[in-house]
Amino acid sequence: MEEVREKLAGQEYVCDRRLATVVYLAVKLDKPVLIEGPAGVGKTELAKALAAATGRSLIRLQCYEGLDEAKALYEWEYGKQLLYTQVLREKIGEFIGPTKGLREAAAALRDQEDVFFSENFLVERPILQAITSETPPVLLLDEIDRADEEFEAFLLEFLSDYQVSIPEIGTVKAEHPPVVILTSNRTRELSEALKRRCLHLQIDYPSPEVELEIVRLKAPGVGEVLADELVGTIQSIRSLDLRKSPSIGETLDWARSLVVLGAPSLNKDLIEETLSVIVKYDRDAAKVLAHVRGAAESKDLGQKEPTGEKQNEGMYEMHRSTHKHAH
Ligand SMILES: Nc1ncnc2c1ncn2[C@@H]1O[C@H](COP(=O)(O)OP(=O)(O)O)[C@@H](O)[C@H]1O
Ligand SMILES: [Mg+2]
């Protein structure tokens, strides 16, 4: 497990033992992993990091409403079939012979059908690619909750046996099963049958320690003080009741923006000016602003108290204390 963690860290992916254990078991037991959690907590990134860390290729299928087998599994290459029949017209004519009636001609053609429904005319889509790949890849079925329930049902055979049935060809089974990762932003509940076939992993917003580590890794230009403050601020903003809480992606965008702006530390004005980087809805922005202003005021009040002790000056400390009050 420690090795898994280190390998992922080598790909700049920070994870705890719980996550490393699930990934380890998935690979050892040939089981798919279902990762659920809010947007932007590193679900997609885990699949990418795992592929890179194990030297496998990554095959990715982004799910959407209306996604069907033709786009996920295979499709007959209609244009090519048509072209071949055109080019081979004379040959086909010869083969059928001049004297036959329609019914006999159709029957003669039917016997040759498998010429046109062979691998030669098959377009492999991600799932079939993953099955037939010579070296087992990581197959990412991303945001499965966007696909329809029928698609989920279609996946069941593949998820339990790493095989699919193609009527014209037969059953195709993976010689070496791929590592399959499914993700869901939990916009809807997935079926029991699907969950049963997978190891289940919940990822939530990271702890301050983990988030700080991610910032240090992925936004290396950020100084110690600023990194502390910004992670503290983001964490306290997540405790507000927002339509869309800032994710790790937003933390990183914010960190990089502040570096570009040359900010050595955070203050109320800077937060206001860069707010659009971390919240995407007007109503959320208003809530965050009220929160930040409230925190700044209570800090001012705090500084007037003649306690004689050094006051906490950083926004991080400030937000930590308001965070406690909020609970
Ligand atoms: N544990 C982590 N370690 C390193 N970077 C992370 C981690 N979690 C998230 N990130 C970063 O956060 C951003 C959003 O992650 P992503 O995988 O796209 O989220 P999701 O798929 O859960 O919506 C990416 O830029 C990713 O690199
Ligand atoms: Mg994603």
Side-chain angles (χ1 to χ4, degrees), residues 75-81 84 88 113-124 169:
E75 204 165 19
W76 292 109
E77 208 166 356
Y78 177 65
K80 190 170 164 191
Q81 287 170 328
Y84 270 59
L88 296 176
E113 227 171 48
D114 51 358
V115 172
F116 290 96
F117 291 97
S118 64
E119 273 90 2
N120 191 23
F121 297 96
L122 196 69
V123 193
E124 293 192 345
I169 291 182

Side-chain angles (χ1 to χ4, degrees), residues 179-196:
V179 175
V180 182
I181 296 189
L182 302 100
T183 77
S184 163
N185 289 342
R186 238 196 249 112
T187 55
R188 69 177 175 81
E189 198 58 35
L190 300 173
S191 74
E192 279 298 319
L194 184 102
K195 287 186 182 167
R196 241 192 343 264

Side-chain angles (χ1 to χ4, degrees), residues 12-14 38-45 214 218 248-249 252:
E12 300 196 334
Y13 192 86
V14 184
V41 293
K43 301 185 296 298
T44 304
E45 189 70 17
I214 296 173
K218 297 213 158 158
I248 301 174
L252 291 174

Side-chain angles (χ1 to χ4, degrees), residues 244-261:
K244 169 74 182 72
S245 281
S247 68
I248 301 174
E250 271 92 39
T251 307
L252 291 174
D253 284 345
W254 202 26
R256 291 174 188 136
S257 306
L258 293 170
V259 170
V260 169
L261 295 175

Side-chain angles (χ1 to χ4, degrees), residues 5-307:
R5 241 166 70 114
E6 274 164 27
K7 279 196 167 171
L8 291 173
Q11 301 302 321
E12 300 196 334
Y13 192 86
V14 184
C15 71
D16 54 14
R17 261 187 89 86
R18 183 185 63 110
L19 197 149
T21 305
V22 174
V23 169
Y24 178 76
L25 288 177
V27 175
K28 288 289 170 198
L29 302 177
D30 287 333
K31 275 253 194 189
V33 190
L34 169 63
I35 311 176
E36 290 196 283
V41 293
K43 301 185 296 298
T44 304
E45 189 70 17
L46 173 60
K48 291 186 190 166
L50 181 63
T54 55
R56 294 163 187 256
S57 59
L58 176 74
I59 299 179
R60 180 175 180 175
L61 177 65
Q62 169 64 54
C63 299
Y64 53 87
E65 206 182 326
L67 173 64
D68 60 5
E69 292 179 44
K71 289 287 172 278
L73 188 57
Y74 72 92
E75 204 165 19
W76 292 109
E77 208 166 356
Y78 177 65
K80 190 170 164 191
Q81 287 170 328
L82 210 61
L83 184 71
Y84 270 59
T85 54
Q86 291 288 320
V87 174
L88 296 176
R89 192 159 47 193
E90 276 175 27
K91 191 83 199 153
I92 293 171
E94 256 171 52
F95 176 81
I96 291 172
T99 54
K100 288 182 177 159
L102 253 188
R103 195 178 299 274
E104 277 168 83
L109 202 54
R110 194 160 51 237
D111 286 343
Q112 304 300 314
E113 227 171 48
D114 51 358
V115 172
F116 290 96
F117 291 97
S118 64
E119 273 90 2
N120 191 23
F121 297 96
L122 196 69
V123 193
E124 293 192 345
R125 300 296 183 196
I127 293 179
L128 193 58
Q129 279 171 16
I131 290 179
T132 58
S133 169
E134 264 171 36
T135 51
V138 171
L139 173 65
L140 169 62
L141 304 174
D142 213 6
E143 304 187 354
I144 182 74
D145 52 329
R146 285 176 187 261
D148 311 298
E149 279 166 34
E150 296 85 73
F151 184 72
E152 236 181 89
F154 150 76
L155 280 181
L156 296 179
E157 180 190 5
F158 167 66
L159 291 177
S160 41
D161 300 323
Y162 299 107
Q163 68 173 39
V164 293
S165 321
I166 302 175
E168 297 86 349
I169 291 182
T171 303
V172 187
K173 190 172 168 66
E175 228 170 280
H176 308 285
V179 175
V180 182
I181 296 189
L182 302 100
T183 77
S184 163
N185 289 342
R186 238 196 249 112
T187 55
R188 69 177 175 81
E189 198 58 35
L190 300 173
S191 74
E192 279 298 319
L194 184 102
K195 287 186 182 167
R196 241 192 343 264
R197 282 164 174 79
C198 303
L199 297 176
H200 201 205
L201 184 65
Q202 308 266 9
I203 305 189
D204 218 318
Y205 296 116
S207 65
E209 293 74 27
V210 168
E211 191 154 32
L212 201 56
E213 205 177 326
I214 296 173
V215 169
R216 290 216 182 97
L217 269 176
K218 297 213 158 158
V222 182
E224 289 284 307
V225 177
L226 184 59
D228 260 11
E229 288 177 346
L230 100 102
V231 167
T233 306
I234 285 278
Q235 295 257 336
S236 80
I237 289 175
R238 284 195 194 120
S239 69
L240 303 174
D241 174 29
L242 301 181
R243 179 162 166 198
K244 169 74 182 72
S245 281
S247 68
I248 301 174
E250 271 92 39
T251 307
L252 291 174
D253 284 345
W254 202 26
R256 291 174 188 136
S257 306
L258 293 170
V259 170
V260 169
L261 295 175
S265 65
L266 270 186
N267 57 50
K268 180 169 73 64
D269 294 337
L270 197 55
I271 297 178
E272 288 196 31
E273 285 156 18
T274 53
L275 202 59
S276 63
V277 180
I278 44 176
V279 283
K280 311 293 173 185
Y281 295 98
D282 287 349
R283 207 178 52 113
D284 287 356
K287 280 188 186 172
V288 172
L289 271 184
H291 172 71
V292 168
R293 285 179 186 146
E297 267 167 32
S298 66
K299 180 189 161 202
D300 286 345
L301 285 179
Q303 271 172 342
K304 276 173 202 147
E305 274 165 16
T307 56

